Amino acid sequence: MENYKKFKIITYGCQMNVHESEKIAGILSELNYVMTEDEKQADIIVFNTCCIRENAEDRAFGNVGALKKLKKANKNLIIAVGGCMTQQKGFAKSFHESYPFVDIIFGTHNLDNFKLLLQKKLSSKKTIIEVLEKEGSICETTNKLRSSYPNAWVNISYGCNNFCSYCIVPYVRGRERSRKEVDIINECKSLIEDGYKEITLLGQNVNSYGNDLEGVTFASLIKKISQIEGDFRLSFMTNHPKDFNEELIKALAKSDKISKRVHLPVQAGSNRILKLMNRKYTREDYLSKVNLLRKYIPDIAITTDIMVGFPTETEEDFMDTFNLVKEVGFSGAFTFVYSRRKGTPAAEMDGQIPEDVSKNRIMALIDYQNEFNREESKKYLNKTVEILCEGYDDKKKMYLGRDTYGRMAYFSSDKELIGRFVDVKIIKTGGISLLGEVVKVK
Ligand code: SF4
């Protein structure tokens, strides 16, 4: 093992990026590199970056800069930077000027070509800069070195056509392209055969899957996947309320393999702000979809994303959001302060909101949601729930996993449980996580 070359990948941002890092890891494994967590041991360090929010970008800049010393000490170290951040128009050139010690700069559209980029670098002293302007066809041959057992991520589409006015994604990930149904189903089958227990389908907007294909929809796709033999859960992210429809809700209601949680980002509860955001639904549309979902699946857990401090957001707009949160009763809410992204329409809007105003608003939402979670957790006390054991927390010395509603529980056992479905009796409830005792290992 000592003779193998080693790689480290540092990933920022969303699940999509986590999965793309699994692809880079797969490419490097095929080249006989092995993974290390220690950057001093690494022969190659890859940054898979995100530019959706400013702080993720700032962290990446800081962490790349911090490697300058390591590169000086080890001239053979290869540093590669790719992902959404480098895909921004004009970015690669200025990044190269500021960080000339970076060896490879690549974008989101040529990640599958990483082997080629690395080979080019190994035979050249120059920095390899390759950021393609246009998305190409979908590559189906890249191996993945998966790191999240028993969970497996499966892309169903790439890119986005929605152009929400605050969002950089359509500019750095291109137009929406759906993978062929047969490729997705085959990948899911082989993951289930390999023992993966939770398959999460990924797309910027999974609900518009198939719009560029003939005769398939997201609802028809998940019906087929949920019919695959085996003991597994099926989840998906992210949904867009404008495309989340009754056909899909009926498909969710019919299968007991599909997790009983839906992430339905609302972003705002004010119709004026939703319009400025170019979200293409109203508060009323959103609430009617929530009601429809609960009509078919009364116990569904709904989570959401909320953005505060969008340009021109007034106190009244914010209260519309706050009241919508109260009305829906979300099982979880990811709250964000609006982050101004150069190149998006919202960045040019007048009425940017001062940071302290946004902070106060987000804190009010977080406080409310935390209290709501605490109350909801109490309902679990003394109940027995089925948990998929996902890992072991070394600090707590306990296993952890989630139920079908996405609620996290901790429990002890002297047996190896990762990847097993376990019945757990909840004996203590907290904010978002639960503490339980194993009743039965399935
Ligand atoms: S749906 Fe909107 S927020 Fe989501 S990736 Fe597309 S443009 Fe961005």
Side-chain angles (χ1 to χ4, degrees), residues 391-434:
Y392 186 78
D393 186 316
D394 284 324
K395 274 195 198 143
K396 287 193 164 75
K397 305 241 173 294
M398 285 182 137
Y399 283 103
L400 60 111
R402 282 173 301 134
D403 70 356
T404 186
Y405 306 102
R407 191 57 75 107
M408 178 82 81
Y410 288 87
F411 44 95
S412 299
S413 173
D414 47 16
K415 291 192 192 115
E416 169 59 53
L417 293 182
I418 296 173
R420 305 287 296 268
F421 286 99
V422 187
D423 281 343
V424 172
K425 185 177 177 194
I426 302 305
I427 54 168
K428 198 174 166 196
T429 65
I432 44 167
S433 61
L434 311 165

Side-chain angles (χ1 to χ4, degrees), residues 52 159-171 173 176 203-205 238-240 242-243 265 267 277-279 305 307:
I52 290 185
C160 183
N161 291 347
N162 288 312
F163 290 93
C164 301
S165 63
Y166 52 83
C167 182
I168 193 87
V169 166
Y171 306 93
R173 291 206 171 257
E176 186 174 270
Q204 302 295 348
N205 173 10
T238 275
N239 298 283
H240 194 305
K242 82 175 164 62
D243 299 311
Q267 304 298 0
M277 286 178 166
N278 195 29
R279 290 290 288 175
D305 293 339
M307 182 182 289

Side-chain angles (χ1 to χ4, degrees), residues 35 95 168 204 293-294 387:
M35 196 185 290
F95 184 74
I168 193 87
Q204 302 295 348
L293 192 48
R294 286 184 170 152
I387 301 286

